[in-house]
Amino acid sequence: MKDSRIAARGLVLLGCGNMGSAMLAGWLERGLPATSVWVQDPAPSSWVQSTGVHVNADLPTDPAVILVAVKPQLMSDALPAFAAFGGGDTVFVSVAAGTPLSAFEEVFGIASPIVRAMPNTPSAVGRGITAICANDAGQGALDEADMLLSAVGDVVRLENEEQMDAVTGVSGSGPAYVFHLIETLAAGGVAQGLPEELAMQLAKATVAGAGHLAMEAAEHPAQLRVNVTSPNGTTQAALEVLMDENSGFPSLLPRAVKAASERSKELSLG
């Protein structure tokens, strides 16, 4: 990781659960010195303690970045202890869902560069996607945040913070939709006579393989769907159910995304 500012001044990781550990592993693999990282976590894993990073030690006086990865409900207790780092050029990056930029500005001041990020759970295996946006003072920090978060997958930049609720509905909560698809696809196989273990293996591999093909292929997913659909064949029979405008995916998934987006708005308002 070629960022001399972080290596020299240090990076503080506040919270090191699944997401924090995934990011830490990515940074270390990319060459960030372990001695440049300070982890603050009430119950650090044995893996974190084995990496050589500073664990629950005295923090550097002027860290380059403080990355906040605590659960949203713990935010009000965790942030005030770091208020003294606000007002300078320490960059604050938050991966906490539902916590708006304004909440951090209240603690650290509007002059502090603050980046809000929404990663998703595939980040734990380096296949995530993260959306980022920043307050006015943090616009110049987006490149640095992009570099840090790309350690766990792709990164996209939003035009404004208002888009974050829709991002939550699509990619933030989206993995759960796909997991449920796997569940129900396997259940369909069992209903047609397959053993449970085999049906689940087929469902997992099919969803993973189709997702990889969609990422790698030049064609739009709609064209990939057409490519595998023979006229009057088995796939067409299934798609007539799934593509029904009233009961199929065209109605169901937009409703799901809307429900998640609206709940995200509610949570951000407290």
Side-chain angles (χ1 to χ4, degrees), residues 237-250:
L239 288 176
E240 287 175 357
V241 176
L242 295 176
M243 297 179 70
D244 183 278
E245 291 187 4
N246 296 315
S247 62
F249 284 177

Side-chain angles (χ1 to χ4, degrees), residues 19 118-125 127-131 152 170-175:
M19 187 65 69
M118 169 58 71
N120 61 3
T121 54
S123 298
V125 292
R127 296 298 298 270
I129 187 162
T130 302
V152 291
V170 176
S171 62
S173 298

Side-chain angles (χ1 to χ4, degrees), residues 2 10 14 20 31 53 59 77 80 103 107 112 123 129 131 146 149 168 184 188 190 249 255 265:
K2 295 182 170 89
L14 178 56
V53 303
L59 300 179
D77 294 330
V107 177
S112 296
S123 298
I129 187 162
D146 192 319
L149 294 163
T168 301
T184 53
V190 171
F249 284 177
R255 281 166 47 208
K265 291 177 185 176

Side-chain angles (χ1 to χ4, degrees), residues 11 31 73 125 136 142 144-145 163 211 217-218 252 262:
L11 184 157
Q73 59 267 33
V125 292
D136 290 342
L142 285 169
E144 191 166 50
Q163 293 179 324
L252 192 61
E262 291 181 345

Side-chain angles (χ1 to χ4, degrees), residues 155-170:
V155 179
V156 296
R157 302 189 188 189
L158 304 183
E159 295 177 1
N160 52 65
E161 188 179 17
E162 286 69 33
Q163 293 179 324
M164 194 63 83
D165 296 315
V167 167
T168 301
V170 176

Side-chain angles (χ1 to χ4, degrees), residues 69-212:
V70 299
K71 295 184 183 302
Q73 59 267 33
L74 301 178
M75 198 72 71
S76 59
D77 294 330
L79 292 187
F82 295 83
F85 293 105
D89 66 346
T90 294
V91 176
F92 296 89
V93 180
S94 167
V95 298
T99 306
L101 291 167
S102 59
F104 291 93
E105 288 181 330
E106 289 177 7
V107 177
F108 303 117
I110 60 173
S112 296
I114 302 166
V115 177
R116 179 182 174 187
M118 169 58 71
N120 61 3
T121 54
S123 298
V125 292
R127 296 298 298 270
I129 187 162
T130 302
I132 60 175
C133 62
N135 66 345
D136 290 342
Q139 295 301 311
L142 285 169
D143 285 344
E144 191 166 50
D146 192 319
M147 178 195 66
L148 287 170
L149 294 163
S150 67
V152 291
D154 296 334
V155 179
V156 296
R157 302 189 188 189
L158 304 183
E159 295 177 1
N160 52 65
E161 188 179 17
E162 286 69 33
Q163 293 179 324
M164 194 63 83
D165 296 315
V167 167
T168 301
V170 176
S171 62
S173 298
Y177 317 157
V178 178
F179 300 147
H180 188 51
L181 171 62
I182 293 172
E183 285 183 281
T184 53
L185 183 57
V190 171
Q192 295 304 310
L194 293 176
E196 287 188 13
E197 186 174 342
L198 175 58
M200 183 59 73
Q201 181 181 359
L202 291 170
K204 286 181 178 179
T206 298
V207 171
H212 187 69

